[in-house]
Amino acid sequence: MFGKVLVANRGEIAIRVIRALDELGIGSVAVYSEADRDALHVRRAGEAYLLGPGPAAQSYLAVDRLLDAIERSGAEAVHPGYGFLAENAAFARALEDAGITFIGPPAKAIEAMGSKTRARELMRAAGVPIVPGTTEPVDGLEAAAPIAEEIGYPIAVKAAGGGGGKGFRVAQEPGELEAALAGAAREGEKFFSDPTVYLERYLPDPRHVEVQVLADAHGAVVHLGERDCSIQRRHQKLIEEAPAPLVDAALRERIGEIAVEAARAVGYRGAGTVEGLLAGGEYFFLEMNTRVQVEHCVTEEVTGIDIVREQIRVAAGEPLSFAQEDVVLRGHAIECRINAEDAARKFAPSPGRIGRYREPSGPGVRVDSGVGAGTEVTPLYDPMMAKLIVRDADRESATRRMLRALAEYEIEGIRTLLPFHAALLASEQWARGETCRDLLEDPAWLKALAVPKPAPAPGKDAAAVQREYTVEVSGRRFEVTVHGEPAAAAATVHAPAPAAARPRRRTGGGTSASNGGASGDTLYSPLQGNVFRVLVEQGAAVEEGAVVCIIEAMKMENEITAHKSGTVAELPIREGTPVASGDTLAVIR
Ligand code: MV4
């Protein structure tokens, strides 16, 4: 088994992988961009290396910088998560050349599935059912028109380099074919530097049903049943569930075998997903995702199998820890993607700083999150902050459990999809097991999800906001709204994220009243007063627990101690000057 693994990703999936590494007794290495200096995945790992500036091209996608971090850390393997470099065959090869294990399939399998036309041809040859259409690229309207007639309208035009719906156009009738071809080619060129397109019969209102597979280096290929991911908007999945509402045991076995066949056809190893469409009781191969997916958790919940752990074990050459006949589905799981988006405004991104943050818990609830109180959700990366997953005996009870968990979830400071999920899961359409396209396209229904502007996270213009408090008057509880200057509550607002989120490095003691609140590198003032003494210098090294400054308030001297060891990067305080509660005292890196 590996001694140390580098996680080439950020957010919830980086933390998910680090958890698996912890359980396997493997050291974890995080990488981060300048925008992610305070991110949870960085604090959660055993060690961490800065890659570069915020934009992914200069950090999470910069192969040379990643190779540098791998060398410096001595990691023997790399887990790519999803997105970024997860399906980049050149990256897998570069690692191979450097003698580093890529925790994923062989580069050849990534390449084979990366070209959708090649994948379709391979699958057809292996006897896997594909959506009727071409397995060769089509070039131009002249060539495409007669083929389209043969397949029959409506026609789906798809980019060969595409996947996940990028470069996907529909021609309802011959008059629309030219524009569909041009649109799909343009998008293919833009996203994949490949304008090649192919044609499929357009299936009306299909279900997106995908099968999880796992393969080891000893010839075992198994499937873990299916997931239904039909609730999508602009090809972004929003809600996923397992098992699929329309799949019975017989169909499950059939599509499971199709998926295993598809994986075998490309010499697959590791975790992968065979995506397909279910229409009129028939199942068609769509594409294979050669990575762990966002929605792998619903399968973990109904099978009890840790997919990421198996992925790591298999990459280290170990056999799968179970056989096909050991895979038993129990109950029903649902996942809601908690995005920083505003459903009422066409799902516009809603970046900003998270204020209050409280995750749901209790029976059957799992939260895979990459954020906490004080996290800055940047527009640089994917808006998905967390995933809320629930499990219960059946779909109906799992739905009720999800509604309960959504109601418990508190995220202040930014808009999120929480109200969207609550409304959708309460709808009749969801209860009937429909794909909910009508709701997702209904401006009036979406508009009704509008929530009042969230209170900005405290720190900057806290005085301008309204705040809600719970008070007791003669033993009776009241919820009250206070307008204007908040009392000295900022210290609790800046309290560190739950200690459980980062077992390795302790932040901001909390053991004595003399400690400041802290979030990441920043030490905040827990109280209003005057700076009486400053005991450190900018640029100097400090130990965790060392006195940074003394603040005099109400004739008392309060020693403020460093929440972590490091170098004093910023020290915006001077002796004899006042500070407010929540002001930055120091930044320690
Ligand atoms: C299709 C289709 C109909 N016919 N292909 C491909 C990527 C995925 N995000 C959705 N894709 C579709 N491919 C053919 N030949 C319809 C969709 C589709 C869809 C499928 C299932 C559930 C929801 C969907 C929403 C939009 C498009």
Side-chain angles (χ1 to χ4, degrees):
M1 187 43 78
F2 309 116
K4 206 188 262 188
V5 170
L6 183 139
V7 184
N9 216 301
R10 65 183 299 280
E12 69 85 18
I13 193 61
I15 293 172
R16 170 71 188 87
V17 174
I18 292 166
R19 284 180 168 143
L21 293 171
D22 281 354
E23 289 170 12
L24 287 163
I26 301 172
S28 58
V29 183
V31 289
Y32 61 99
S33 71
E34 285 169 13
D36 273 340
R37 283 200 165 109
D38 290 335
L40 289 185
H41 80 277
V42 178
R43 296 191 243 163
R44 186 63 182 70
E47 55 193 286
Y49 295 83
L50 175 68
L51 291 172
Q58 296 169 71
S59 50
Y60 299 105
L61 289 171
V63 173
D64 51 338
R65 296 180 195 218
L66 279 159
L67 289 171
D68 196 47
I70 293 162
E71 197 181 322
R72 289 173 66 194
S73 65
E76 303 142 64
V78 171
H79 195 301
Y82 52 69
F84 295 125
L85 295 164
E87 290 175 279
N88 187 314
F91 179 58
R93 283 232 164 76
L95 291 181
E96 216 170 281
D97 293 345
I100 306 296
T101 304
F102 177 71
I103 302 179
K108 261 201 176 124
I110 301 177
E111 259 160 8
M113 290 302 187
S115 160
K116 305 303 153 185
T117 42
R118 203 169 137 208
R120 276 167 64 78
E121 178 53 41
L122 274 167
M123 294 305 121
R124 200 181 55 81
V128 170
I130 58 173
V131 184
T134 65
T135 53
E136 294 284 318
V138 292
D139 195 9
L141 182 63
E142 306 283 87
I147 302 171
E149 289 298 337
E150 209 176 300
I151 298 168
Y153 283 86
I155 288 283
V157 183
K158 299 187 177 185
K166 280 216 173 88
F168 173 30
R169 292 284 192 285
V170 182
Q172 293 294 339
E173 35 105 9
E176 293 180 4
L177 187 60
E178 188 170 13
L181 289 165
R186 195 167 4 89
E187 235 168 81
E189 174 67 45
K190 186 168 137 194
F191 291 109
F192 315 104
S193 313
D194 179 4
T196 324
V197 300
Y198 63 100
L199 308 181
E200 282 180 0
R201 176 181 300 153
Y202 180 76
L203 306 170
D205 203 29
R207 313 279 315 196
H208 176 119
V209 174
E210 59 185 33
V211 181
Q212 177 72 54
V213 296
L214 274 167
D216 67 20
H218 308 276
V221 186
V222 299
H223 74 85
L224 305 187
E226 82 290 347
R227 302 185 277 261
D228 188 308
C229 314
S230 298
I231 312 279
Q232 348 181 322
R233 193 180 169 279
R234 300 217 171 128
H235 306 299
Q236 293 301 310
K237 295 168 186 166
L238 296 168
I239 302 174
E240 302 98 343
E241 59 184 315
L246 296 187
V247 173
D248 61 17
L251 183 56
R252 177 163 306 118
E253 196 172 321
R254 206 166 81 231
I255 66 177
E257 277 165 14
I258 289 171
V260 167
E261 211 47 59
R264 282 198 192 283
V266 289
Y268 206 77
R269 203 177 57 226
T273 301
V274 174
E275 293 197 338
L277 295 179
L278 188 63
E282 274 194 279
Y283 191 71
F284 303 100
F285 170 87
L286 209 50
E287 61 186 71
M288 181 166 187
N289 293 324
T290 56
R291 57 164 195 270
V292 69
Q293 283 185 297
V294 173
E295 61 270 26
H296 73 278
C297 312
V298 289
T299 300
E300 291 186 327
E301 292 303 312
V302 294
T303 61
I305 292 165
D306 187 320
I307 294 168
V308 178
R309 183 192 297 169
E310 293 298 325
Q311 218 186 355
I312 297 165
R313 294 185 68 245
V314 159
E318 294 188 18
L320 284 173
S321 67
F322 61 93
Q324 186 66 62
E325 58 267 28
D326 302 324
V327 180
V328 183
L329 304 187
R330 249 194 92 180
H332 198 96
I334 305 171
E335 171 179 282
C336 288
R337 297 192 184 193
I338 311 302
N339 296 354
E341 289 176 336
D342 185 357
R345 286 194 205 149
K346 298 182 174 171
F347 291 76
S350 173
R353 185 180 290 281
I354 297 176
R356 240 182 93 77
Y357 181 85
R358 208 179 126 81
E359 290 177 355
S361 58
V365 174
R366 164 176 172 181
V367 183
D368 278 22
S369 166
V371 300
T375 297
E376 184 81 36
V377 179
T378 129
L380 285 167
Y381 312 116
D382 190 282
M384 197 185 78
M385 302 177 286
K387 307 179 304 205
L388 172 56
I389 305 115
V390 302
R391 190 176 87 89
D392 209 327
D394 53 34
R395 191 173 192 267
E396 207 181 309
S397 55
T399 298
R400 280 196 294 267
R401 180 160 275 177
M402 181 61 91
L403 286 166
R404 186 267 294 173
L406 286 163
E408 279 183 17
Y409 213 147
E410 293 178 46
I411 306 175
E412 287 184 2
I414 56 170
R415 288 193 169 95
T416 74
L417 291 188
L418 286 171
F420 163 82
H421 288 305
L424 194 126
L425 279 137
S427 73
E428 286 168 27
Q429 287 90 331
W430 167 266
R432 288 196 296 261
E434 295 174 8
T435 55
C436 301
R437 283 201 186 109
D438 53 341
L439 293 180
L440 292 162
E441 305 291 321
D442 181 353
W445 186 80
L446 293 170
K447 263 260 144 358
L449 300 173
V451 289
K453 183 163 170 47
K460 296 207 173 85
D461 44 13
V465 305
Q466 301 180 7
R467 242 151 237 301
E468 268 147 37
Y469 291 94
T470 303
V471 296
E472 274 176 9
V473 180
S474 304
R476 173 161 179 201
R477 275 173 77 87
F478 292 90
E479 314 285 330
V480 300
T481 303
V482 175
H483 301 264
E485 180 85 39
T492 55
V493 170
H494 289 286
R502 40 188 160 71
R504 296 256 168 75
R505 294 185 208 166
R506 219 161 48 84
T507 304
T511 45
S512 86
S514 61
N515 242 315
S519 151
D521 295 334
T522 307
L523 180 67
Y524 298 104
S525 177
L527 76 177
Q528 187 186 340
N530 265 298
V531 179
F532 177 59
R533 286 275 179 276
V534 180
L535 295 134
V536 297
E537 277 172 16
Q538 191 159 350
V542 287
E543 288 293 321
E544 183 179 343
V547 180
V548 172
C549 62
I550 298 170
I551 296 174
E552 190 194 278
M554 298 195 294
K555 296 185 181 162
M556 292 277 288
E557 287 181 17
N558 301 275
E559 290 189 347
I560 310 298
T561 55
H563 61 297
K564 61 183 263 200
S565 301
T567 305
V568 180
E570 290 174 38
L571 195 65
I573 50 172
R574 259 191 326 138
E575 289 184 2
T577 59
V579 286
S581 169
D583 279 0
T584 296
L585 298 176
V587 175
I588 302 171
R589 295 214 171 94

